[in-house]
Amino acid sequence: METIYRMPLSVWACGRGRGSGGRDTRQRASDGKTRSSQSTMRRMAEEIQPTKEQSSWILSWLPSWCPTSPSHLKDAEEKMLKSVNRPFSRQHVRISNNNYLWTVAFSTWPQPGCHPEPPARHRSPLVLLHGFGGGVALWAQNLDSLSSSGPVYGLDLLGFGRSSRPQFCTDPEGAEDQFVEALEEWREKVGLEEMVLLGHNLGGYLSAAYTFKYPQRVKHLVLVEPWGFPARPENPNHHSIPVWIRAMGAVMSPFNPLAGLRLAGPLGPMLVQTIRSDFKQKYSSVFDDNTVSDYIYHLNAQTPSGETAFTNMTIPYGWARRPMLERIGQVQAHIPVSFIYGSRSSIDSDSGYAFKKTRPDVQITVIRGAGHYVFADQPDDFNQTVLQILAGTRDEGAKRRDHPHPDDTTPARTHAGGRAV
């Protein structure tokens, strides 16, 4: 269990060493450095006891069958984050209904002997939302670079990773709203006035949904290989889908997508290593063992929660019940929107270009050689693309401060077309 204390972000983020933020910040707290008033963002965290999720007898039986536990997941995540060099904090942030969101936070508070950036150079915090079956540590190759220019927060979505795993509404709209409200409560608790919101896969879908409802909180919307945008064709060509996949889909339709992983029991870790052997290659510059596959296994062998919500939000075969492309036009015109795709991804960029027809200022970047996990396939190119977006966001903010527009409701926007990196 992680113990959470009340202290400002500047203290939480003063840890040293490779992924040592959590331990060193607690030591600094004991040295009496908890009174910093320099923070432009207030940090609110509480000491919590993660509640044990209620489950059926089948789910209560699974832990004894599956070689996993919250403690295993914690250890696997810590091993992933040892590759991160910049200081960071880790904590559960309490929200309503005894839920909490597991959060990793990076600050840019100057270290001793360093000079802070001028106020005009400060940018809005970047908030990272992972995709289906993911977690904060999958950003391991991105966190150092992205946090070099400003605050970065990564969190496990409600029902995933090390966040609480409540029961979700069975209605797809209700489930979506639970995700969105959890993010808003998290933002309020952490004390962010506005943020650059970046979401991958399911995280992209939920980022867009959040932006509809809370436009005043989003400085820039960045959609990375977003899931759930196009509608399922009215007459899908079932003949293009192999018979065995259709048969398996019919058999597994009453179950969650990752039920097979849990039913595999002791063979689960080997199953992940075999089926998703590509992840070892994606992170080969950081790990030369099964660190990543172990983390992915422990992320997804826990009691299903967000996974169940996702199931209720989909129709065969993986299409969204409430397609986002039909609603993306609700994003207010003053909020910049960027899409990032991989050139080798199974998700095409048609949705981004379709939206660009109605919003010519939308920026679309296709990163060569990257697949769906673009941030892991080509981390350097991905990081550079996001840093350019952040720099543009910061520059626009500085322009508005120095030269306010006569109509504050029409701020300047970045105009960019599709480009390849």
Side-chain angles (χ1 to χ4, degrees), residues 179-260:
F179 282 119
V180 169
E181 289 307 312
L183 178 58
E184 170 58 12
E185 290 182 29
W186 173 90
R187 179 209 61 79
E188 184 177 7
K189 206 62 173 291
V190 172
L192 306 183
E193 290 300 316
E194 59 183 7
M195 55 191 167
V196 176
L197 192 55
L198 183 153
H200 171 252
N201 186 268
L202 174 62
Y205 181 94
L206 297 175
S207 295
Y210 177 89
T211 304
F212 303 157
K213 194 165 186 179
Y214 299 101
Q216 73 277 18
R217 303 303 182 188
V218 180
K219 189 81 169 180
H220 196 123
L221 176 61
V222 185
L223 303 171
V224 182
E225 290 276 320
W227 166 83
F229 269 61
R232 185 177 68 173
E234 292 185 6
N235 296 305
N237 183 9
H238 289 291
H239 297 291
S240 65
I241 303 173
V243 174
W244 70 270
I245 292 182
R246 280 182 277 151
M248 183 65 70
V251 171
M252 296 298 294
S253 60
F255 302 96
N256 284 321
L258 299 172

Side-chain angles (χ1 to χ4, degrees), residues 313-325:
M313 294 165 64
T314 63
I315 53 177
Y317 295 88
W319 300 91
R321 289 185 182 273
R322 306 180 70 236
M324 189 56 67
L325 191 57

Side-chain angles (χ1 to χ4, degrees), residues 360-381:
D361 62 306
V362 166
Q363 178 178 339
I364 301 175
T365 302
V366 179
I367 296 182
R368 294 191 183 100
H372 180 56
Y373 289 87
V374 55
F375 56 89
D377 290 324
Q378 299 292 339
D380 292 339
D381 288 343

